[in-house]
Amino acid sequence: MRYLEDFRAGELIELGEVRISEAEILDFGRRFDPQPFHVDPSAAAASQFGGLIASGWHTGALYMRLFVDAVLSGSASLGSPGLEEVRWLRPVRPGDVLRGTYEILAVTNSAGRDDRGTIRARCEMLDSSGEVVMRLVARNHFSRRPPA
């Protein structure tokens, strides 16, 4: 189990990779973001993107799964108060392999609660060329190690 004290500012955690398929893009788009370039390959081809692209929210959901598997499931996570920013920097296309990273910017003890603190981190999804397709800055709360 990783507690707040086990994380260090400057630490870069590789979260793993995920491949995104056309079927997944279409399904997510139809359910949650039904814009033509997410749900209609013909309309997407005629759009400014020149083809089908994933919703930014889909990219964020894929990131979240990688983050849970690589970090949160083995830590004393207490949730998150939210995001400071989200940027979708490049289109994500069918067949892309995305890689997630979690770079810890700061680890801060809570001013009001001795048993917890907050990590501020830069979270990125990169494509197979190493280009950042999504960047967000997040805060996550973690428990401190219980006294012995």
Side-chain angles (χ1 to χ4, degrees):
M1 178 68 58
R2 258 185 119 171
Y3 294 93
L4 181 72
E5 299 88 342
D6 300 320
F7 296 95
R8 298 281 175 251
E11 180 179 0
L12 179 67
I13 301 172
E14 294 285 342
L15 305 180
E17 293 182 345
V18 62
R19 179 182 300 273
I20 188 167
S21 72
E22 180 173 322
E24 291 168 322
I25 290 172
L26 292 169
D27 181 57
F28 188 97
R30 287 177 183 133
R31 294 186 69 208
F32 303 109
D33 192 355
Q35 297 180 74
F37 38 81
H38 300 320
V39 299
D40 182 342
S42 297
S47 76
Q48 70 271 26
F49 299 109
L52 191 68
I53 64 167
S55 166
W57 297 112
H58 189 179
T59 304
L62 293 169
Y63 179 90
M64 189 67 200
R65 180 56 193 247
L66 293 175
F67 181 52
V68 168
D69 290 348
V71 177
L72 296 183
S73 65
S75 71
S77 171
L78 296 173
S80 170
L83 305 174
E84 292 180 15
E85 66 179 67
V86 179
R87 300 284 182 264
W88 296 298
L89 302 167
R90 298 176 63 84
V92 172
R93 301 188 182 277
D96 279 355
V97 176
L98 304 176
R99 176 174 58 90
T101 63
Y102 183 72
E103 181 182 5
I104 299 172
L105 302 174
V107 179
T108 309
N109 292 326
S110 171
R113 303 275 311 257
D114 291 347
D115 65 340
R116 65 192 62 199
T118 301
I119 292 176
R120 183 172 178 265
R122 179 181 301 113
C123 309
E124 293 182 337
M125 282 290 253
L126 300 92
D127 64 18
S128 58
S129 300
E131 297 287 334
V132 178
V133 300
M134 183 196 76
R135 177 179 296 128
L136 58 91
V137 176
R139 292 182 182 270
N140 297 92
H141 297 312
F142 291 89
S143 291
R144 295 189 65 193
R145 189 177 280 26

